[in-house]
Amino acid sequence: MRRSRAVAAATVTTVAVAGVGLAVADPLGLRDRPAPSAADVLPEGVASFVEVDLEPELAQQIQMADFARHVPGLASRLPGMAGGDVKQHLATAIVRQAGCRDVDYARQLEPWLGERVALAQLDDQTRVLAVQATDEPAARRGLPALLSCAGWSSGQVLYSDGYLVASNTAGGAGEALSMATRGVLSSNASYESDTRRLGPRGVVTAWAWGGLAAEALQRTDASSGAATLRFADGALEAKVVARSRQDLPTSTSHPKVADLPADTSVAVGISDGAERADWLWESLERLGVRGDLQRAATERGLDLPQDLDLLLGKDSRYAQAPGGAGESLTVTGDREGLQRLVSGGQLDKDGIAVHADKDDTILTADTDRAHELSDPDVTLEEDGDFRAAVARPDHSQLTFFADRDGIERLLLPRLGAQQRAEFVDVKAVGLNTHVEDDDYQVAVGRVVVG
């Protein structure tokens, strides 16, 4: 439910309570109907916004608890994920993260805390906190002490539309609500467009056009973006959408990673690669990984980015079998050009051969694997972990998948002993990225446990 400018203006007046300003007037009698989201209270001009749902849907809570049982470190840091009162544990974890270690939930939070809490960045200095309150008088008594231990004691706290709105600066909350009279965040066209593409909201939802996210947006050449963290199909899922500043090429196909043999341990697929080679190369530079890739390619006798068109072709998929064996690259593209690229060079010396497979060309040093790739008995499409880890592989321009073997070889060596212990029950990870409507880059990542 969106609140009009008149409603936002009418629900804000100020009194002083324990040295903290609190807005208490409600001439339209709306306090029994709080806004469903802090985005309906905070101004449309905030640079970044993060909201936590303290009472997610039951299905989310059940999957959250199941996930946490397989990730001991996560359950110990956030006990509510493993069961019990999810709202209590989520709220307590947030408050403790803010610096308030001695929190009496039953006395300080439970009597008044609603379902949503959000943090927004108004400008370089001002942060604004919006907490849904079911009992305003109790909230007035409980929140100031929590703000004080979090270092916000000199800030301002106001009441609007079912929310206590606090800031870390004197006058910040008042400025935010004054701005909201001219338009709330949920009425911001970019916010509405970005968050709508997220689909069902998860436990955490975020949106930004600048502020703390400015550097990340600049690296991806995006003007704004949104993200949500939720549980879906038995996996932890993060979905990110970013609106590009330029038109993006949409795909006319997908890289067919699901057609790889079922024992594939690591897979990376790219569709329309040759057409997007320049854009991909620029993206690697913005992400800061182009140099490492170029050095690795040079060791194999490849010249990047000149050879990218051939290696990517129309569609391509790189794969490894368990233990890193059977390394291969399957390309739908210029077979003669790939043959010239291999012949007489370092790839040839490394035993890489070119194998024809209908419209595809397979580059691998393992002849037996080439046959398996051409006609697998069972494919990844029939593998439960792959299906859980990769959302809609037939609607992807870039696909990544790693099973337990791949995780142990590629990810765990980069982690400390304690972090490795937390991944003991992680069975697979996956990523699907694609373009929507020519200007939205969408990424869906999943972690599967069991």
Side-chain angles (χ1 to χ4, degrees), residues 123-135:
D123 54 42
D124 290 343
Q125 287 78 38
T126 306
R127 309 289 184 268
V128 179
L129 177 72
V131 185
Q132 194 178 68
T134 59
D135 184 333

Side-chain angles (χ1 to χ4, degrees), residues 110-154:
E110 188 175 21
W112 62 270
L113 184 62
E115 299 179 4
R116 302 296 181 98
V117 58
L119 181 67
Q121 183 180 6
L122 198 61
D123 54 42
D124 290 343
Q125 287 78 38
T126 306
R127 309 289 184 268
V128 179
L129 177 72
V131 185
Q132 194 178 68
T134 59
D135 184 333
E136 183 188 343
R140 294 186 211 164
R141 294 189 297 269
L143 187 59
L146 298 175
L147 292 174
S148 179
C149 71
W152 282 27
S153 57
S154 62

Side-chain angles (χ1 to χ4, degrees), residues 30 54 61 107 116 148 159 164 168 193 225-226 229 271 276 289 326 334 344 360 388 413 422:
L30 296 174
L54 300 176
Q61 295 188 37
R107 181 177 61 85
R116 302 296 181 98
S148 179
Y159 182 89
L164 288 183
N168 64 329
S193 179
L229 188 69
S271 67
R276 305 168 66 209
V289 298
D334 182 358
D360 292 337
E422 296 182 9

Side-chain angles (χ1 to χ4, degrees), residues 208-278:
W209 65 264
L212 298 176
E215 184 177 345
L217 291 170
Q218 184 176 8
R219 283 202 305 270
T220 56
D221 197 28
S223 59
S224 64
T228 193
L229 188 69
R230 61 189 172 219
F231 295 84
D233 300 329
L236 173 63
E237 177 180 285
K239 183 172 184 178
V240 180
V241 302
R243 188 168 192 170
S244 177
R245 298 179 187 277
Q246 56 182 311
D247 287 343
L248 300 175
T250 55
S251 180
T252 58
S253 62
H254 64 88
K256 302 177 184 176
V257 169
D259 294 342
L260 290 167
D263 67 344
T264 299
S265 178
V266 175
V268 180
I270 300 175
S271 67
D272 294 316
E275 295 178 13
R276 305 168 66 209
D278 292 342

